[in-house]
Amino acid sequence: MRGFGDGFTGLLLPVYLSSLGFSVFQVGVLTTATLLGSAALTLAVGLLGHRVPAKRLLFAACALMGLTGVLFSRTHAFWPLVVVGFVGTLNPSGGDVSPFLPLEQSLLAHVGQPSQRTRLFARYSLTGSLAMALGALAVGLLVPLRALTGLAQLTLVEGAFGVYGLLGLAAAALYRRLPDQPSEGEAARTPLGPSKRHVYGLAAIFCIDAFGGGFLVQSLFALWLFHRFGLSLAAAGAFFFWTGVLAAFSQLAAPPLARRIGLIRTMAFTHIPASLCVIAAAFAPNVATAFALLFVRALLSSMDVPARTSYVMAIVTPPERAAAAGVTNVPRSLAAAFSPALAGFLFALTPFAWPLVIGGSLKIAYDLLLLWRFQKVRPPEEADR
């Protein structure tokens, strides 16, 4: 439910803001505000969430998601939209960045055997990625709906944000099936303790990856495709659908690869070629070349997602998992929150895709630093092998 909503709102956000007359730079500023707000909520869940049952926090996040959709569909002034973006749950990044994430990850980490953890998170990430891809594809329905109903595009986009709010209520209905008490084998959640050094070290390195990823958020990526190649909304939706599908299914290759070469090497050795592809796409002479490079990038760029989550859950004690998930996920929104505004400024300043070059280069630096710092810090199951 959440992934589908993120898929179409991430693509409609620049369309909506442009229809309201906002500049590329203003789109970047509002994207920054949404990511900053997500970072604050995620950090609060990670550091303070051990005091409140996970199920209750998930319900609260669903209510906030519903309110976000309603307010965003009815607000047209820039600064009120910035406030709603900051406080709400909108996700323009193209990945799962929300207070839901650390709660779900910590709950799933206690399911099954440690040797199956990476496979479990691969299926979890696959589901969300496919739903997000379908959400992006659904944007193409606006054209026939406009012809069928005669409504203006802006009105239909406002309705889409209302649907996003309804999806939050649908997600709450699904969360009701979770047990009220921790499941058997799930330790009581505590703040970070013995694993604090590793968690903070990972969080610091993840900041580099997230800052680079902020130059490549889906909303600004779509804006670049619109301006650079004159891509239509339906074509952009189809493109993000297929890249999402490729990224989703590629995650199933992460567990067998991690068993062979380890989680850290899986993260780095798949990420570096993906970043080289996105840098090369900035120099693509035509849309076919750009699409080919970005499809290869999609095949490689998400294989680190289940490996990263599994690694964090494996190197901390079970009671620390919720806190560790919150603290390590915060950089994905906090550090990434500052780069979209800069990317919007660069796109407005020059037609060349400098954000793609900068973002890809930062991600390569992250991979090299991760290898250097954590290659020898192995999860128990890897150490046993």
PDB file of all heavy atoms in Angstrom, residues 195-209 264 267 308-316 324 327-329 331 366 369-371 373-375 377:
ATOM      1  N   SER A 195      26.428  -2.074  20.796  1.00  0.00           N
ATOM      2  CA  SER A 195      26.698  -1.974  19.356  1.00  0.00           C
ATOM      3  C   SER A 195      26.782  -0.529  18.868  1.00  0.00           C
ATOM      4  O   SER A 195      26.829  -0.282  17.657  1.00  0.00           O
ATOM      5  CB  SER A 195      25.598  -2.709  18.566  1.00  0.00           C
ATOM      6  OG  SER A 195      25.408  -4.013  19.032  1.00  0.00           O
ATOM      7  N   LYS A 196      26.806   0.399  19.809  1.00  0.00           N
ATOM      8  CA  LYS A 196      26.722   1.819  19.452  1.00  0.00           C
ATOM      9  C   LYS A 196      27.829   2.242  18.496  1.00  0.00           C
ATOM     10  O   LYS A 196      27.593   2.980  17.531  1.00  0.00           O
ATOM     11  CB  LYS A 196      26.781   2.658  20.729  1.00  0.00           C
ATOM     12  CG  LYS A 196      26.587   4.144  20.511  1.00  0.00           C
ATOM     13  CD  LYS A 196      26.736   4.912  21.837  1.00  0.00           C
ATOM     14  CE  LYS A 196      25.688   4.472  22.828  1.00  0.00           C
ATOM     15  NZ  LYS A 196      25.751   5.295  24.070  1.00  0.00           N
ATOM     16  N   ARG A 197      29.040   1.775  18.712  1.00  0.00           N
ATOM     17  CA  ARG A 197      30.175   2.213  17.892  1.00  0.00           C
ATOM     18  C   ARG A 197      29.981   1.821  16.431  1.00  0.00           C
ATOM     19  O   ARG A 197      30.186   2.629  15.517  1.00  0.00           O
ATOM     20  CB  ARG A 197      31.468   1.610  18.446  1.00  0.00           C
ATOM     21  CG  ARG A 197      32.716   1.936  17.638  1.00  0.00           C
ATOM     22  CD  ARG A 197      33.981   1.468  18.371  1.00  0.00           C
ATOM     23  NE  ARG A 197      35.157   1.590  17.524  1.00  0.00           N
ATOM     24  CZ  ARG A 197      35.611   0.624  16.743  1.00  0.00           C
ATOM     25  NH1 ARG A 197      34.977  -0.545  16.692  1.00  0.00           N
ATOM     26  NH2 ARG A 197      36.700   0.800  16.017  1.00  0.00           N
ATOM     27  N   HIS A 198      29.591   0.575  16.189  1.00  0.00           N
ATOM     28  CA  HIS A 198      29.384   0.123  14.809  1.00  0.00           C
ATOM     29  C   HIS A 198      28.211   0.840  14.154  1.00  0.00           C
ATOM     30  O   HIS A 198      28.272   1.211  12.982  1.00  0.00           O
ATOM     31  CB  HIS A 198      29.148  -1.384  14.786  1.00  0.00           C
ATOM     32  CG  HIS A 198      30.376  -2.206  15.042  1.00  0.00           C
ATOM     33  ND1 HIS A 198      31.641  -1.795  14.654  1.00  0.00           N
ATOM     34  CD2 HIS A 198      30.532  -3.418  15.651  1.00  0.00           C
ATOM     35  CE1 HIS A 198      32.528  -2.719  15.000  1.00  0.00           C
ATOM     36  NE2 HIS A 198      31.877  -3.707  15.615  1.00  0.00           N
ATOM     37  N   VAL A 199      27.136   1.029  14.905  1.00  0.00           N
ATOM     38  CA  VAL A 199      25.934   1.655  14.332  1.00  0.00           C
ATOM     39  C   VAL A 199      26.215   3.098  13.941  1.00  0.00           C
ATOM     40  O   VAL A 199      25.857   3.539  12.841  1.00  0.00           O
ATOM     41  CB  VAL A 199      24.762   1.572  15.330  1.00  0.00           C
ATOM     42  CG1 VAL A 199      23.573   2.393  14.824  1.00  0.00           C
ATOM     43  CG2 VAL A 199      24.335   0.124  15.531  1.00  0.00           C
ATOM     44  N   TYR A 200      26.876   3.842  14.811  1.00  0.00           N
ATOM     45  CA  TYR A 200      27.183   5.234  14.477  1.00  0.00           C
ATOM     46  C   TYR A 200      28.179   5.328  13.329  1.00  0.00           C
ATOM     47  O   TYR A 200      28.113   6.248  12.506  1.00  0.00           O
ATOM     48  CB  TYR A 200      27.717   5.969  15.710  1.00  0.00           C
ATOM     49  CG  TYR A 200      26.651   6.280  16.741  1.00  0.00           C
ATOM     50  CD1 TYR A 200      26.976   6.474  18.082  1.00  0.00           C
ATOM     51  CD2 TYR A 200      25.312   6.370  16.381  1.00  0.00           C
ATOM     52  CE1 TYR A 200      26.008   6.748  19.034  1.00  0.00           C
ATOM     53  CE2 TYR A 200      24.334   6.643  17.317  1.00  0.00           C
ATOM     54  CZ  TYR A 200      24.687   6.834  18.639  1.00  0.00           C
ATOM     55  OH  TYR A 200      23.717   7.105  19.576  1.00  0.00           O
ATOM     56  N   GLY A 201      29.109   4.372  13.267  1.00  0.00           N
ATOM     57  CA  GLY A 201      30.050   4.357  12.146  1.00  0.00           C
ATOM     58  C   GLY A 201      29.347   4.101  10.826  1.00  0.00           C
ATOM     59  O   GLY A 201      29.617   4.775   9.817  1.00  0.00           O
ATOM     60  N   LEU A 202      28.427   3.144  10.816  1.00  0.00           N
ATOM     61  CA  LEU A 202      27.644   2.883   9.605  1.00  0.00           C
ATOM     62  C   LEU A 202      26.786   4.086   9.236  1.00  0.00           C
ATOM     63  O   LEU A 202      26.684   4.453   8.055  1.00  0.00           O
ATOM     64  CB  LEU A 202      26.743   1.661   9.817  1.00  0.00           C
ATOM     65  CG  LEU A 202      27.399   0.293   9.735  1.00  0.00           C
ATOM     66  CD1 LEU A 202      26.441  -0.792  10.194  1.00  0.00           C
ATOM     67  CD2 LEU A 202      27.868   0.011   8.306  1.00  0.00           C
ATOM     68  N   ALA A 203      26.169   4.698  10.239  1.00  0.00           N
ATOM     69  CA  ALA A 203      25.314   5.857   9.963  1.00  0.00           C
ATOM     70  C   ALA A 203      26.110   6.979   9.308  1.00  0.00           C
ATOM     71  O   ALA A 203      25.627   7.646   8.388  1.00  0.00           O
ATOM     72  CB  ALA A 203      24.657   6.344  11.251  1.00  0.00           C
ATOM     73  N   ALA A 204      27.334   7.198   9.782  1.00  0.00           N
ATOM     74  CA  ALA A 204      28.167   8.254   9.210  1.00  0.00           C
ATOM     75  C   ALA A 204      28.508   7.960   7.754  1.00  0.00           C
ATOM     76  O   ALA A 204      28.459   8.849   6.892  1.00  0.00           O
ATOM     77  CB  ALA A 204      29.447   8.412  10.039  1.00  0.00           C
ATOM     78  N   ILE A 205      28.833   6.695   7.455  1.00  0.00           N
ATOM     79  CA  ILE A 205      29.162   6.336   6.077  1.00  0.00           C
ATOM     80  C   ILE A 205      27.916   6.384   5.196  1.00  0.00           C
ATOM     81  O   ILE A 205      27.967   6.813   4.040  1.00  0.00           O
ATOM     82  CB  ILE A 205      29.818   4.937   6.037  1.00  0.00           C
ATOM     83  CG1 ILE A 205      31.153   4.975   6.775  1.00  0.00           C
ATOM     84  CG2 ILE A 205      30.046   4.486   4.603  1.00  0.00           C
ATOM     85  CD1 ILE A 205      31.839   3.632   6.876  1.00  0.00           C
ATOM     86  N   PHE A 206      26.767   5.954   5.739  1.00  0.00           N
ATOM     87  CA  PHE A 206      25.524   6.008   4.975  1.00  0.00           C
ATOM     88  C   PHE A 206      25.153   7.442   4.599  1.00  0.00           C
ATOM     89  O   PHE A 206      24.426   7.660   3.626  1.00  0.00           O
ATOM     90  CB  PHE A 206      24.380   5.382   5.771  1.00  0.00           C
ATOM     91  CG  PHE A 206      24.458   3.876   5.898  1.00  0.00           C
ATOM     92  CD1 PHE A 206      23.665   3.199   6.804  1.00  0.00           C
ATOM     93  CD2 PHE A 206      25.338   3.143   5.110  1.00  0.00           C
ATOM     94  CE1 PHE A 206      23.732   1.823   6.922  1.00  0.00           C
ATOM     95  CE2 PHE A 206      25.429   1.765   5.221  1.00  0.00           C
ATOM     96  CZ  PHE A 206      24.616   1.100   6.146  1.00  0.00           C
ATOM     97  N   CYS A 207      25.631   8.418   5.387  1.00  0.00           N
ATOM     98  CA  CYS A 207      25.367   9.823   5.064  1.00  0.00           C
ATOM     99  C   CYS A 207      25.913  10.176   3.674  1.00  0.00           C
ATOM    100  O   CYS A 207      25.280  10.936   2.936  1.00  0.00           O
ATOM    101  CB  CYS A 207      26.003  10.741   6.104  1.00  0.00           C
ATOM    102  SG  CYS A 207      25.078  10.894   7.638  1.00  0.00           S
ATOM    103  N   ILE A 208      27.085   9.637   3.343  1.00  0.00           N
ATOM    104  CA  ILE A 208      27.687   9.939   2.039  1.00  0.00           C
ATOM    105  C   ILE A 208      26.822   9.370   0.923  1.00  0.00           C
ATOM    106  O   ILE A 208      26.527  10.040  -0.067  1.00  0.00           O
ATOM    107  CB  ILE A 208      29.117   9.367   1.971  1.00  0.00           C
ATOM    108  CG1 ILE A 208      29.984   9.963   3.082  1.00  0.00           C
ATOM    109  CG2 ILE A 208      29.735   9.625   0.603  1.00  0.00           C
ATOM    110  CD1 ILE A 208      31.361   9.328   3.200  1.00  0.00           C
ATOM    111  N   ASP A 209      26.390   8.116   1.092  1.00  0.00           N
ATOM    112  CA  ASP A 209      25.528   7.486   0.096  1.00  0.00           C
ATOM    113  C   ASP A 209      24.209   8.244  -0.043  1.00  0.00           C
ATOM    114  O   ASP A 209      23.722   8.474  -1.152  1.00  0.00           O
ATOM    115  CB  ASP A 209      25.274   6.039   0.508  1.00  0.00           C
ATOM    116  CG  ASP A 209      24.360   5.312  -0.460  1.00  0.00           C
ATOM    117  OD1 ASP A 209      24.592   5.389  -1.675  1.00  0.00           O
ATOM    118  OD2 ASP A 209      23.395   4.668   0.000  1.00  0.00           O
ATOM    119  N   ILE A 264      29.000  -7.160   2.948  1.00  0.00           N
ATOM    120  CA  ILE A 264      29.649  -5.885   2.627  1.00  0.00           C
ATOM    121  C   ILE A 264      30.117  -5.853   1.177  1.00  0.00           C
ATOM    122  O   ILE A 264      29.907  -4.867   0.460  1.00  0.00           O
ATOM    123  CB  ILE A 264      30.835  -5.635   3.582  1.00  0.00           C
ATOM    124  CG1 ILE A 264      30.318  -5.305   4.985  1.00  0.00           C
ATOM    125  CG2 ILE A 264      31.710  -4.490   3.075  1.00  0.00           C
ATOM    126  CD1 ILE A 264      29.575  -3.984   5.089  1.00  0.00           C
ATOM    127  N   MET A 267      27.241  -5.389  -1.194  1.00  0.00           N
ATOM    128  CA  MET A 267      26.801  -3.997  -1.246  1.00  0.00           C
ATOM    129  C   MET A 267      27.697  -3.167  -2.160  1.00  0.00           C
ATOM    130  O   MET A 267      27.221  -2.426  -3.022  1.00  0.00           O
ATOM    131  CB  MET A 267      26.785  -3.411   0.170  1.00  0.00           C
ATOM    132  CG  MET A 267      25.741  -4.046   1.082  1.00  0.00           C
ATOM    133  SD  MET A 267      26.081  -3.791   2.845  1.00  0.00           S
ATOM    134  CE  MET A 267      25.944  -2.009   2.957  1.00  0.00           C
ATOM    135  N   ARG A 308      22.187  -4.544   3.024  1.00  0.00           N
ATOM    136  CA  ARG A 308      22.445  -3.512   4.034  1.00  0.00           C
ATOM    137  C   ARG A 308      21.579  -3.718   5.269  1.00  0.00           C
ATOM    138  O   ARG A 308      22.051  -3.644   6.407  1.00  0.00           O
ATOM    139  CB  ARG A 308      22.182  -2.130   3.423  1.00  0.00           C
ATOM    140  CG  ARG A 308      22.396  -0.974   4.402  1.00  0.00           C
ATOM    141  CD  ARG A 308      22.184   0.356   3.716  1.00  0.00           C
ATOM    142  NE  ARG A 308      20.822   0.500   3.239  1.00  0.00           N
ATOM    143  CZ  ARG A 308      20.503   0.896   2.003  1.00  0.00           C
ATOM    144  NH1 ARG A 308      21.447   1.144   1.123  1.00  0.00           N
ATOM    145  NH2 ARG A 308      19.237   1.026   1.655  1.00  0.00           N
ATOM    146  N   THR A 309      20.286  -3.969   5.057  1.00  0.00           N
ATOM    147  CA  THR A 309      19.383  -4.165   6.187  1.00  0.00           C
ATOM    148  C   THR A 309      19.775  -5.400   6.984  1.00  0.00           C
ATOM    149  O   THR A 309      19.810  -5.370   8.220  1.00  0.00           O
ATOM    150  CB  THR A 309      17.935  -4.311   5.685  1.00  0.00           C
ATOM    151  OG1 THR A 309      17.600  -3.195   4.862  1.00  0.00           O
ATOM    152  CG2 THR A 309      16.963  -4.362   6.854  1.00  0.00           C
ATOM    153  N   SER A 310      20.070  -6.491   6.287  1.00  0.00           N
ATOM    154  CA  SER A 310      20.458  -7.716   6.964  1.00  0.00           C
ATOM    155  C   SER A 310      21.744  -7.515   7.758  1.00  0.00           C
ATOM    156  O   SER A 310      21.875  -8.022   8.890  1.00  0.00           O
ATOM    157  CB  SER A 310      20.635  -8.828   5.930  1.00  0.00           C
ATOM    158  OG  SER A 310      21.015 -10.033   6.555  1.00  0.00           O
ATOM    159  N   TYR A 311      22.692  -6.779   7.192  1.00  0.00           N
ATOM    160  CA  TYR A 311      23.966  -6.549   7.868  1.00  0.00           C
ATOM    161  C   TYR A 311      23.770  -5.770   9.168  1.00  0.00           C
ATOM    162  O   TYR A 311      24.321  -6.140  10.216  1.00  0.00           O
ATOM    163  CB  TYR A 311      24.904  -5.789   6.939  1.00  0.00           C
ATOM    164  CG  TYR A 311      26.287  -5.564   7.511  1.00  0.00           C
ATOM    165  CD1 TYR A 311      27.226  -6.592   7.547  1.00  0.00           C
ATOM    166  CD2 TYR A 311      26.654  -4.315   8.016  1.00  0.00           C
ATOM    167  CE1 TYR A 311      28.484  -6.390   8.084  1.00  0.00           C
ATOM    168  CE2 TYR A 311      27.914  -4.108   8.550  1.00  0.00           C
ATOM    169  CZ  TYR A 311      28.826  -5.144   8.578  1.00  0.00           C
ATOM    170  OH  TYR A 311      30.074  -4.940   9.107  1.00  0.00           O
ATOM    171  N   VAL A 312      22.973  -4.701   9.110  1.00  0.00           N
ATOM    172  CA  VAL A 312      22.733  -3.895  10.319  1.00  0.00           C
ATOM    173  C   VAL A 312      22.060  -4.737  11.398  1.00  0.00           C
ATOM    174  O   VAL A 312      22.444  -4.694  12.576  1.00  0.00           O
ATOM    175  CB  VAL A 312      21.877  -2.659   9.983  1.00  0.00           C
ATOM    176  CG1 VAL A 312      21.472  -1.932  11.263  1.00  0.00           C
ATOM    177  CG2 VAL A 312      22.633  -1.718   9.058  1.00  0.00           C
ATOM    178  N   MET A 313      21.036  -5.530  11.018  1.00  0.00           N
ATOM    179  CA  MET A 313      20.331  -6.350  11.993  1.00  0.00           C
ATOM    180  C   MET A 313      21.228  -7.448  12.570  1.00  0.00           C
ATOM    181  O   MET A 313      21.024  -7.894  13.700  1.00  0.00           O
ATOM    182  CB  MET A 313      19.103  -6.990  11.344  1.00  0.00           C
ATOM    183  CG  MET A 313      18.034  -6.007  10.884  1.00  0.00           C
ATOM    184  SD  MET A 313      17.232  -5.070  12.220  1.00  0.00           S
ATOM    185  CE  MET A 313      18.089  -3.486  12.052  1.00  0.00           C
ATOM    186  N   ALA A 314      22.247  -7.884  11.794  1.00  0.00           N
ATOM    187  CA  ALA A 314      23.094  -9.000  12.220  1.00  0.00           C
ATOM    188  C   ALA A 314      24.192  -8.584  13.185  1.00  0.00           C
ATOM    189  O   ALA A 314      24.599  -9.387  14.034  1.00  0.00           O
ATOM    190  CB  ALA A 314      23.705  -9.682  11.003  1.00  0.00           C
ATOM    191  N   ILE A 315      24.704  -7.366  13.074  1.00  0.00           N
ATOM    192  CA  ILE A 315      25.867  -6.991  13.879  1.00  0.00           C
ATOM    193  C   ILE A 315      25.487  -6.291  15.178  1.00  0.00           C
ATOM    194  O   ILE A 315      26.371  -5.849  15.920  1.00  0.00           O
ATOM    195  CB  ILE A 315      26.851  -6.101  13.081  1.00  0.00           C
ATOM    196  CG1 ILE A 315      26.210  -4.753  12.725  1.00  0.00           C
ATOM    197  CG2 ILE A 315      27.348  -6.832  11.840  1.00  0.00           C
ATOM    198  CD1 ILE A 315      27.196  -3.745  12.172  1.00  0.00           C
ATOM    199  N   VAL A 316      24.170  -6.163  15.464  1.00  0.00           N
ATOM    200  CA  VAL A 316      23.734  -5.581  16.730  1.00  0.00           C
ATOM    201  C   VAL A 316      23.018  -6.653  17.545  1.00  0.00           C
ATOM    202  O   VAL A 316      22.617  -7.693  17.021  1.00  0.00           O
ATOM    203  CB  VAL A 316      22.792  -4.371  16.510  1.00  0.00           C
ATOM    204  CG1 VAL A 316      23.478  -3.299  15.680  1.00  0.00           C
ATOM    205  CG2 VAL A 316      21.480  -4.795  15.848  1.00  0.00           C
ATOM    206  N   ALA A 324      18.804   0.592  16.099  1.00  0.00           N
ATOM    207  CA  ALA A 324      19.805   0.554  15.029  1.00  0.00           C
ATOM    208  C   ALA A 324      19.172   0.840  13.675  1.00  0.00           C
ATOM    209  O   ALA A 324      19.738   1.569  12.847  1.00  0.00           O
ATOM    210  CB  ALA A 324      20.499  -0.799  15.009  1.00  0.00           C
ATOM    211  N   VAL A 327      18.450   4.652  13.533  1.00  0.00           N
ATOM    212  CA  VAL A 327      19.645   5.497  13.424  1.00  0.00           C
ATOM    213  C   VAL A 327      20.320   5.334  12.066  1.00  0.00           C
ATOM    214  O   VAL A 327      20.789   6.314  11.474  1.00  0.00           O
ATOM    215  CB  VAL A 327      20.630   5.162  14.565  1.00  0.00           C
ATOM    216  CG1 VAL A 327      21.966   5.867  14.348  1.00  0.00           C
ATOM    217  CG2 VAL A 327      20.033   5.580  15.904  1.00  0.00           C
ATOM    218  N   THR A 328      20.368   4.127  11.518  1.00  0.00           N
ATOM    219  CA  THR A 328      21.037   3.942  10.228  1.00  0.00           C
ATOM    220  C   THR A 328      20.164   4.345   9.050  1.00  0.00           C
ATOM    221  O   THR A 328      20.689   4.615   7.963  1.00  0.00           O
ATOM    222  CB  THR A 328      21.472   2.474  10.043  1.00  0.00           C
ATOM    223  OG1 THR A 328      20.350   1.610  10.250  1.00  0.00           O
ATOM    224  CG2 THR A 328      22.581   2.112  11.018  1.00  0.00           C
ATOM    225  N   ASN A 329      18.850   4.385   9.241  1.00  0.00           N
ATOM    226  CA  ASN A 329      17.982   4.838   8.157  1.00  0.00           C
ATOM    227  C   ASN A 329      17.852   6.350   8.094  1.00  0.00           C
ATOM    228  O   ASN A 329      17.487   6.898   7.054  1.00  0.00           O
ATOM    229  CB  ASN A 329      16.581   4.226   8.294  1.00  0.00           C
ATOM    230  CG  ASN A 329      16.499   2.832   7.706  1.00  0.00           C
ATOM    231  OD1 ASN A 329      16.761   2.635   6.528  1.00  0.00           O
ATOM    232  ND2 ASN A 329      16.152   1.852   8.519  1.00  0.00           N
ATOM    233  N   PRO A 331      20.154   8.721   7.935  1.00  0.00           N
ATOM    234  CA  PRO A 331      20.947   9.378   6.892  1.00  0.00           C
ATOM    235  C   PRO A 331      20.320   9.323   5.512  1.00  0.00           C
ATOM    236  O   PRO A 331      20.556  10.206   4.687  1.00  0.00           O
ATOM    237  CB  PRO A 331      22.275   8.594   6.920  1.00  0.00           C
ATOM    238  CG  PRO A 331      22.353   8.042   8.287  1.00  0.00           C
ATOM    239  CD  PRO A 331      20.949   7.741   8.679  1.00  0.00           C
ATOM    240  N   TYR A 366      31.350   6.368  -1.220  1.00  0.00           N
ATOM    241  CA  TYR A 366      30.717   5.644  -0.108  1.00  0.00           C
ATOM    242  C   TYR A 366      31.084   4.161  -0.144  1.00  0.00           C
ATOM    243  O   TYR A 366      31.428   3.566   0.887  1.00  0.00           O
ATOM    244  CB  TYR A 366      29.204   5.838  -0.188  1.00  0.00           C
ATOM    245  CG  TYR A 366      28.385   4.667   0.294  1.00  0.00           C
ATOM    246  CD1 TYR A 366      28.207   4.429   1.655  1.00  0.00           C
ATOM    247  CD2 TYR A 366      27.779   3.796  -0.617  1.00  0.00           C
ATOM    248  CE1 TYR A 366      27.452   3.351   2.097  1.00  0.00           C
ATOM    249  CE2 TYR A 366      27.027   2.720  -0.187  1.00  0.00           C
ATOM    250  CZ  TYR A 366      26.860   2.498   1.167  1.00  0.00           C
ATOM    251  OH  TYR A 366      26.122   1.444   1.602  1.00  0.00           O
ATOM    252  N   LEU A 369      34.680   3.565   0.942  1.00  0.00           N
ATOM    253  CA  LEU A 369      34.849   3.786   2.381  1.00  0.00           C
ATOM    254  C   LEU A 369      34.221   2.651   3.186  1.00  0.00           C
ATOM    255  O   LEU A 369      34.779   2.209   4.199  1.00  0.00           O
ATOM    256  CB  LEU A 369      34.216   5.126   2.764  1.00  0.00           C
ATOM    257  CG  LEU A 369      34.430   5.613   4.202  1.00  0.00           C
ATOM    258  CD1 LEU A 369      35.914   5.730   4.525  1.00  0.00           C
ATOM    259  CD2 LEU A 369      33.738   6.956   4.419  1.00  0.00           C
ATOM    260  N   LEU A 370      33.077   2.146   2.725  1.00  0.00           N
ATOM    261  CA  LEU A 370      32.418   1.035   3.413  1.00  0.00           C
ATOM    262  C   LEU A 370      33.306  -0.215   3.394  1.00  0.00           C
ATOM    263  O   LEU A 370      33.440  -0.914   4.412  1.00  0.00           O
ATOM    264  CB  LEU A 370      31.073   0.746   2.728  1.00  0.00           C
ATOM    265  CG  LEU A 370      30.179  -0.312   3.367  1.00  0.00           C
ATOM    266  CD1 LEU A 370      29.631   0.176   4.701  1.00  0.00           C
ATOM    267  CD2 LEU A 370      29.015  -0.657   2.429  1.00  0.00           C
ATOM    268  N   LEU A 371      33.912  -0.490   2.249  1.00  0.00           N
ATOM    269  CA  LEU A 371      34.823  -1.632   2.155  1.00  0.00           C
ATOM    270  C   LEU A 371      36.002  -1.485   3.105  1.00  0.00           C
ATOM    271  O   LEU A 371      36.401  -2.431   3.796  1.00  0.00           O
ATOM    272  CB  LEU A 371      35.331  -1.776   0.714  1.00  0.00           C
ATOM    273  CG  LEU A 371      34.445  -2.506  -0.282  1.00  0.00           C
ATOM    274  CD1 LEU A 371      35.028  -2.367  -1.686  1.00  0.00           C
ATOM    275  CD2 LEU A 371      34.314  -3.981   0.091  1.00  0.00           C
ATOM    276  N   ARG A 373      36.263   0.309   5.899  1.00  0.00           N
ATOM    277  CA  ARG A 373      35.967   0.368   7.334  1.00  0.00           C
ATOM    278  C   ARG A 373      35.315  -0.903   7.877  1.00  0.00           C
ATOM    279  O   ARG A 373      35.582  -1.306   9.021  1.00  0.00           O
ATOM    280  CB  ARG A 373      35.052   1.581   7.594  1.00  0.00           C
ATOM    281  CG  ARG A 373      34.472   1.696   8.996  1.00  0.00           C
ATOM    282  CD  ARG A 373      35.556   1.887  10.041  1.00  0.00           C
ATOM    283  NE  ARG A 373      34.967   2.053  11.357  1.00  0.00           N
ATOM    284  CZ  ARG A 373      34.566   1.046  12.132  1.00  0.00           C
ATOM    285  NH1 ARG A 373      34.707  -0.201  11.713  1.00  0.00           N
ATOM    286  NH2 ARG A 373      34.045   1.273  13.319  1.00  0.00           N
ATOM    287  N   PHE A 374      34.465  -1.585   7.087  1.00  0.00           N
ATOM    288  CA  PHE A 374      33.639  -2.652   7.657  1.00  0.00           C
ATOM    289  C   PHE A 374      33.843  -4.027   7.019  1.00  0.00           C
ATOM    290  O   PHE A 374      33.124  -4.955   7.368  1.00  0.00           O
ATOM    291  CB  PHE A 374      32.152  -2.276   7.566  1.00  0.00           C
ATOM    292  CG  PHE A 374      31.727  -1.277   8.603  1.00  0.00           C
ATOM    293  CD1 PHE A 374      31.659   0.072   8.288  1.00  0.00           C
ATOM    294  CD2 PHE A 374      31.405  -1.673   9.886  1.00  0.00           C
ATOM    295  CE1 PHE A 374      31.288   0.994   9.237  1.00  0.00           C
ATOM    296  CE2 PHE A 374      31.033  -0.757  10.853  1.00  0.00           C
ATOM    297  CZ  PHE A 374      30.971   0.585  10.528  1.00  0.00           C
ATOM    298  N   GLN A 375      34.802  -4.179   6.130  1.00  0.00           N
ATOM    299  CA  GLN A 375      34.970  -5.467   5.473  1.00  0.00           C
ATOM    300  C   GLN A 375      35.297  -6.579   6.472  1.00  0.00           C
ATOM    301  O   GLN A 375      34.924  -7.744   6.275  1.00  0.00           O
ATOM    302  CB  GLN A 375      36.068  -5.389   4.401  1.00  0.00           C
ATOM    303  CG  GLN A 375      36.198  -6.640   3.582  1.00  0.00           C
ATOM    304  CD  GLN A 375      37.112  -6.446   2.391  1.00  0.00           C
ATOM    305  OE1 GLN A 375      37.031  -7.166   1.424  1.00  0.00           O
ATOM    306  NE2 GLN A 375      37.993  -5.473   2.431  1.00  0.00           N
ATOM    307  N   VAL A 377      34.350  -6.531   9.739  1.00  0.00           N
ATOM    308  CA  VAL A 377      33.314  -6.645  10.776  1.00  0.00           C
ATOM    309  C   VAL A 377      32.212  -7.553  10.214  1.00  0.00           C
ATOM    310  O   VAL A 377      31.324  -7.109   9.500  1.00  0.00           O
ATOM    311  CB  VAL A 377      32.735  -5.259  11.147  1.00  0.00           C
ATOM    312  CG1 VAL A 377      31.699  -5.399  12.263  1.00  0.00           C
ATOM    313  CG2 VAL A 377      33.846  -4.312  11.575  1.00  0.00           C
TER     314      VAL A 377
END
